[in-house]
Amino acid sequence: MQPENRPDIGLAPVTLPQAWQRDFEARDGSRYRLLISVPDCPAPARGFPCLVLVDGHALFPVAATAARLQAQRPEATGVGPAVVIGIGYPNERPFDAERRQRDLLPVPGGADRFLDMIVDEVLPAVAEIAPLDPARRALAGHSYGGLFVLHTLFTRPGLFESLVAGSPSIWWQDRAILTSEEAFRRGGSGPAGRLLITVGSHEQAPTLAVTPQRAERLAQARMRDNAAEMAERLAASGHVACDFTEFPGENHVSVIPSMLSRSVAFALAGTAQDKAAAA
C-alpha cells in the first residue's frame, strides 16, 4: 500500500534479508506468528545456535539485523551464524498487552505453559527448517519479557545456555519473583548457564518532564535498583554467571535497540570460534 496522499512513485515494501514468518497454532489452540531468521550458509555439524525472543514483533527486526551484521565480522565480534526466532501474535502489534500478560507472567497457566510450548513445540518446528544445536540455546525478553526470562532461569535452570533479562519487571506483584530467586540461590542446582540483566539509566529517574504521578510510579518500580541488586545477588550466588549492564541516557522504550545488540553479542559470543573449530 502506498502512503496516503502520496503519488505512486514506485514504492515497494521493505523486507528483512534471510527472514521469514509462519503462522503457528499451539496444541492448546493458541495462535502465534513465528518470525525466523536463518543464515544463508551450511549449518554446523551440531546445528545452528539460536536466540529466542518473546514479543517477537517488537524485538525480532532489530535482533535479526544485529545478528546478521555481527556475523559479517566474526573476527571483530566473535559472533557466527545463528538462527533468530521471534514469537509474536497474528495481530502483529509490537506489544500485545492482553496476550503477553497471559504468556509472560508467572501465574497459573501463564509463563510455565508458554515456556513448555517454546521448548516442546516452537523449537522442534523451527528445527524442521534449520537444524538447531540444543546446547547453544538463548532466550531474551524485555519488561514483562525480562521477568519471563528470570522466571525461566529460576524454575528451569540450564534449559537455556544464555539468558538476557532486559529491563525486567521485578516490581510486579510486590516483587513476587524474589521468592523464586531465593529458592534458586538456596538450591543446589548445577550450572545454570549465563545471565545478562540490562536496564536504562533513565528508567527509574527520567530526565524528561513527567507528571508527578508518573514520577511516583517510576520511583516505586525501582527498575534500575531492582535490576542491579538482583544481578549482584545472583553473581555472588555462584549458581549462574551473571553480568549487569546499564545503558546511559536510555528509558524503558529507547533502551530496546541497545539491549538487543548487546543480547546478540552476549548470547552468541563464541559461535564464530565454534564454526572455525568445526570447519
Side-chain angles (χ1 to χ4, degrees), residues 169-243:
S169 299
I170 297 171
W171 55 265
W172 180 78
Q173 292 288 73
D174 294 326
R175 303 197 298 174
I177 192 67
L178 299 191
T179 301
S180 298
E181 179 208 342
E182 183 176 7
F184 169 77
R185 288 191 288 109
R186 292 181 179 276
S189 61
R194 303 158 54 241
L195 170 68
L196 171 65
I197 299 178
T198 71
V199 71
S201 66
H202 290 176
E203 294 195 56
Q204 185 168 318
T207 58
L208 296 176
V210 296
T211 65
Q213 293 81 4
R214 172 69 175 165
E216 182 178 358
R217 287 197 299 271
L218 291 174
Q220 291 176 347
R222 299 181 75 248
M223 292 292 294
R224 188 268 172 203
D225 291 348
N226 279 336
E229 291 163 6
M230 178 176 284
E232 184 177 4
R233 292 191 300 268
L234 290 173
S237 74
H239 291 312
V240 62
C242 183
D243 293 342

Side-chain angles (χ1 to χ4, degrees), residues 43-51 81-83 123 126-127 130-138 159-161 271 274-275:
R46 294 174 297 181
F48 287 113
C50 73
L51 172 61
V83 172
L123 290 178
V126 175
L132 303 178
D133 182 352
R136 295 303 304 270
R137 300 193 300 206
L159 188 61
F160 291 88
E161 188 269 335
T271 55
D274 291 347
K275 180 184 178 183

Side-chain angles (χ1 to χ4, degrees), residues 42-64:
R46 294 174 297 181
F48 287 113
C50 73
L51 172 61
V52 179
L53 307 157
V54 298
D55 290 319
H57 284 96
L59 307 188
F60 176 83
V62 174

Side-chain angles (χ1 to χ4, degrees), residues 251-278:
N251 59 47
H252 193 64
V253 177
S254 69
V255 75
I256 293 175
S258 300
M259 179 274 290
L260 290 171
S261 181
R262 187 65 56 88
S263 296
V264 167
F266 178 83
L268 303 178
T271 55
Q273 289 87 334
D274 291 347
K275 180 184 178 183

Side-chain angles (χ1 to χ4, degrees), residues 35-82:
L35 310 171
I36 308 166
S37 175
V38 179
D40 59 353
C41 63
R46 294 174 297 181
F48 287 113
C50 73
L51 172 61
V52 179
L53 307 157
V54 298
D55 290 319
H57 284 96
L59 307 188
F60 176 83
V62 174
T65 299
R68 185 168 56 88
L69 290 176
Q70 292 187 37
Q72 297 279 319
R73 293 287 308 278
E75 74 284 359
T77 65
V79 172

